[in-house]
Amino acid sequence: SLSRKTYIRTCLIILAVSGVLALYAFPVLKRTVLSFTWPAVPAVVEEHRMESLRCVGFRRRSYWRGIAQYRYVIDGTEYVSARMNFYPGYQKKKGAGLMKIYLEKRYAVGTTVTAYVNPYDPAFSVLQRGSTNVLLLLLLSSITLLPAAAVVGLIFGTRSEVFASPGPGQRRK
């Protein structure tokens, strides 16, 4: 059986992981939700390319993400950005081919697209508003881990031998 100390450590670890996930996910999701109120500005695509990230370690794999660089003007000031969405997800080589086709069709060089610009920081803009699956996964996992700590408490709390204090004249095992 587990001791009270082990139970408390388990709950603290679950709460710490949940807190870290929430600290990362909530600000990004807040900005994602607020982006639906950002003004739309016409932008011109300057280039699109695939960027590679090579992972070093046991499995040496290359991951790819699509980048569309665009230029827009607000109040006479010209800005350049390459942020397509709030979480630039990397894909394996198989998905990279589809992403390249998507970039060539949707963000062809010289085409005018809509950029959504943060009114408080005009240098920050995105081409696609809304959340990605990764952000939703982070938020849901942080919310799910909080009740998990409570469930661990209920499971171990109902086991009287774990938390039972020894009676008079008895020793702890």
Side-chain angles (χ1 to χ4, degrees):
S1 69
L2 295 174
S3 67
R4 183 179 183 95
K5 194 183 250 185
T6 304
Y7 158 71
I8 291 172
R9 284 182 186 159
T10 304
C11 287
L12 288 175
I13 289 170
I14 291 172
L15 289 172
V17 169
S18 174
V20 167
L21 290 173
L23 284 175
Y24 175 76
F26 281 130
V28 177
L29 283 172
K30 180 182 175 185
R31 187 184 306 155
T32 301
V33 170
L34 288 176
S35 72
F36 286 99
T37 64
W38 293 357
V41 174
V44 177
V45 177
E46 292 185 331
E47 71 170 309
H48 58 79
R49 64 186 183 278
M50 297 299 292
E51 181 180 86
S52 167
L53 171 70
R54 182 121 176 115
C55 293
V56 180
F58 177 68
R59 293 178 147 184
R60 295 184 178 147
R61 291 186 176 173
S62 291
Y63 293 92
W64 299 84
R65 76 173 176 149
I67 296 177
Q69 184 173 319
Y70 53 95
R71 183 178 304 272
Y72 57 97
V73 178
I74 295 180
D75 296 333
T77 306
E78 191 171 73
Y79 297 95
V80 176
S81 181
R83 186 175 288 108
M84 290 176 58
N85 55 23
F86 288 102
Y87 188 83
Y90 285 88
Q91 300 177 4
K92 294 180 184 175
K93 191 172 186 174
K94 187 184 287 185
L98 296 174
M99 176 57 95
K100 186 174 183 179
I101 293 169
Y102 172 77
L103 283 174
E104 290 170 354
K105 287 184 177 180
R106 176 103 189 245
Y107 302 111
V109 176
T111 59
T112 301
V113 295
T114 301
Y116 302 97
V117 180
N118 184 345
Y120 302 106
D121 182 12
F124 191 92
S125 65
V126 292
L127 295 178
Q128 302 166 351
R129 297 187 286 193
S131 180
T132 60
N133 294 336
V134 174
L135 289 176
L136 291 175
L137 178 67
L138 282 174
L139 180 64
L140 290 175
S141 61
S142 68
I143 291 171
T144 306
L145 284 177
L146 288 173
V151 168
V152 168
L154 288 175
I155 290 171
F156 290 115
T158 57
R159 301 175 80 189
S160 59
E161 71 271 5
V162 174
F163 298 118
S165 58
Q170 294 179 342
R171 292 180 39 191
R172 247 186 219 269
K173 294 180 181 181

